[in-house]
Amino acid sequence: QVQLVESGGGLVQAGGSLTLSCAASGRTFSSYGMGWFRQAPGKERQFVGAVNWSGGTTYYADSVKGRFTISRDNAKNTVYMQMNSLKPEDTAVYYCAAQESLPYSNYSGDYFYWGQGTQVTVSS
């Protein structure tokens, strides 16, 4: 069992930055590939990015590539997502998720554990 808790969301102006954190507790965090997803009102959940167990490999959706950076600190059981140059279309609830079947994945169905989400709102 893994519990995930996101934090760091909030309201920011377009062009601004936020850093989301996802703290994990439970089983060995370093054995999990971690992902970030987002869901805007009325839309399906969307892949944002993922990182493998060591943090050595990251993978991003085209919509955030070059603006978002995922990292992890296995000693702190935490994964981070630095979000720069935010746009109004980035407004959504952001979720972190954990899976141990693949090094990393952009498919939500591969993820077994999910956090409760944190709201990010970008004003124009």
Side-chain angles (χ1 to χ4, degrees), residues 1-83:
Q1 187 80 7
V2 174
Q3 293 81 40
L4 303 173
V5 179
E6 303 96 334
S7 61
L11 174 64
V12 64
Q13 289 188 333
S17 299
L18 282 175
T19 299
L20 303 185
S21 299
C22 174
S25 61
R27 296 177 60 189
T28 307
F29 174 72
S30 60
S31 66
Y32 287 86
M34 300 297 295
W36 286 97
F37 292 78
R38 66 187 181 187
Q39 189 166 19
K43 295 187 176 181
E44 294 187 353
R45 190 166 295 187
Q46 177 187 44
F47 171 75
V48 178
V51 61
N52 75 332
W53 66 273
S54 69
T57 301
T58 52
Y59 179 52
Y60 300 96
D62 288 342
S63 59
V64 306
K65 200 173 295 182
R67 299 189 298 124
F68 291 12
T69 303
I70 296 173
S71 61
R72 66 189 294 164
D73 185 339
N74 287 341
K76 295 183 178 180
N77 284 8
T78 303
V79 62
Y80 307 95
M81 184 163 67
Q82 173 70 40
M83 306 186 294

